[in-house]
Amino acid sequence: MTSSPRVVVLAGGVGGSKFTLGVREALARRGAPQATVVVNTGDDLWLSGVRLQPDVDSILYALAGVNDTERGWGRAGDTERVNHELQQWDAGWPWFTLGDLDLGTHLARTGWLREGLTPTQVAERLSRRWPLGVRLLPMTDAEVDTRVLVEGGDVMHFQEWWTRHRARLVPRAFENAGMDAARPAPGVIEAIAEADVVLVAPSNPVVSIGPILAVPGVREALAATSARVVGVSPIIGGAVVRGMADVCLAAIGVETSASAVARHYGARRAGGLLDAWLLAEEDTGLAPDVAALGMTAAVAPLWMRDVAASAHIADAALAAAIR
Ligand code: FO1
């Protein structure tokens, strides 16, 4: 493989944004072209008349260096004056905070959507403000917001289940109405076809990576590309790094282990997704199980403590693409 690879990253959430920072750093050091990041839009929602794209914004803000690293979402140093006012009106969701600076993004996005721009064009406009060093593409321009069917029969928006109920209501299924008719956003299929390496970020396999893979045409493009497809485990030592991915995995019958997630994605040579899987050092013992699935098993430290650590993980994932 070239020392200057064309890279596509499939990403969502905090894991996706931290990993993307590392990929940007690792590629810049090589003088390689900017990566294309295909972002999950299943978390998107309409609230108080504005369109939110939490995963697009998490990655945008992290790349711009304006994200709230403590909370893991929203803008650093944000205030909540408008949110307070919305609550006085009983508008929006009392358990979901819209920061003032963050609202500026949602207003800009919604205005452009109302003027007729597509979500892809909006992402491109939002990306012009800061030198992001990557190309951000939503997975699709269609609205395919994730809904969760919980035990007892209720169906709710993913954000209600995640943020209000903290994933404590037992999920039975995750659904994306309209997905059958959705198309990949312009550029997604081309980027995958032209890539040397596709990296699957250590994001939630079910509600972040799952929706990207469910967009009709994406799996086919990943099967057909000459790129090597390398995944990074979101599970370290049998536990999720952050968030509630274990609950999501249980809902689809997948154990919370690095090898079970590798099996869930499957080996490309057996009709699945991956050529290689990067395991945490803590999970070195699972490497033979992963290799037995028909993919390369590689091992690296996977804690994304800072950008340097994330870049080291990106380097290890790129190295696994060559093996
Ligand atoms: N997460 C929370 O836990 N509480 C919130 O009030 C909240 C508000 C919010 C507003 C905009 C946004 O882009 C994200 C927000 N998040 C909030 C994060 C979000 O719910 C999820 O963590 C992601 O969608 C999962 O990746």
Side-chain angles (χ1 to χ4, degrees):
M1 192 187 53
T2 161
S3 63
S4 197
R6 289 160 297 181
V7 173
V8 169
V9 183
L10 311 185
V14 177
S17 56
K18 287 188 172 184
F19 182 65
T20 301
L21 289 180
V23 171
R24 176 177 67 177
E25 174 80 13
L27 294 180
R29 274 201 243 118
R30 287 171 164 79
Q34 295 189 351
T36 295
V37 184
V38 178
V39 185
N40 170 45
T41 60
D43 292 15
D44 297 7
L45 68 155
W46 286 100
L47 193 65
S48 293
V50 293
R51 186 70 173 153
L52 275 67
Q53 297 200 288
D55 282 3
V56 171
D57 291 348
S58 285
I59 296 177
L60 174 77
Y61 294 158
L63 289 165
V66 299
N67 57 321
D68 185 324
T69 50
E70 302 245 311
R71 280 191 314 192
W73 50 271
R75 294 279 297 270
D78 212 346
T79 48
E80 297 173 5
R81 294 193 66 193
V82 178
N83 195 65
H84 178 75
E85 197 60 11
L86 284 170
Q87 291 187 3
Q88 300 306 307
W89 290 117
D90 229 349
W93 285 332
W95 35 267
F96 199 80
T97 307
L98 298 175
D100 295 329
L101 297 175
D102 197 26
L103 258 167
T105 310
H106 309 322
L107 286 171
R109 168 186 294 119
T110 307
W112 291 327
L113 291 173
R114 294 254 182 266
E115 286 167 20
L117 268 64
T118 62
T120 304
Q121 291 166 333
V122 169
E124 200 272 319
R125 278 224 189 158
L126 292 172
S127 300
R128 282 185 209 159
R129 179 167 173 190
W130 296 288
L132 300 185
V134 309
R135 179 167 64 134
L136 281 189
L137 285 181
M139 65 187 195
T140 179
D141 282 338
E143 285 183 15
V144 290
D145 307 4
T146 302
R147 299 201 163 268
V148 188
L149 170 64
V150 298
E151 204 171 63
D154 283 353
V155 179
M156 61 192 72
H157 190 282
F158 168 75
Q159 292 295 350
E160 180 170 4
W161 178 71
W162 188 260
T163 303
R164 181 183 189 186
H165 297 291
R166 295 276 155 216
R168 281 190 209 102
L169 301 180
V170 178
R172 287 282 171 245
F174 300 94
E175 307 164 339
N176 297 86
M179 190 64 102
D180 289 351
R183 295 287 160 263
V188 168
I189 298 298
E190 295 81 351
I192 292 172
E194 290 161 14
D196 297 304
V197 183
V198 176
L199 299 174
V200 182
S203 302
N204 187 312
V206 184
V207 294
S208 293
I209 303 299
I212 302 176
L213 299 177
V215 178
V218 168
R219 271 194 184 272
E220 291 78 357
L222 290 165
T225 181
S226 58
R228 297 266 291 166
V229 182
V230 182
V232 179
S233 175
I235 309 294
I236 299 182
V240 292
V241 173
R242 194 194 160 103
M244 299 160 283
D246 45 350
V247 182
C248 302
L249 286 167
I252 60 162
V254 176
E255 192 192 313
T256 303
S257 84
S259 54
V261 176
R263 191 175 312 112
H264 164 66
Y265 283 141
R268 207 144 74 110
R269 68 169 75 143
L273 176 70
L274 299 173
D275 295 306
W277 186 236
L278 192 58
L279 294 153
E281 286 172 326
E282 292 84 340
D283 294 314
T284 306
L286 298 175
D289 296 353
V290 172
L293 296 169
M295 60 184 87
T296 301
V299 175
L302 291 190
W303 291 103
M304 296 191 284
R305 283 190 192 88
D306 51 27
V307 177
S310 299
H312 189 260
I313 296 167
D315 281 333
L318 292 172
I322 302 170
R323 261 175 271 164

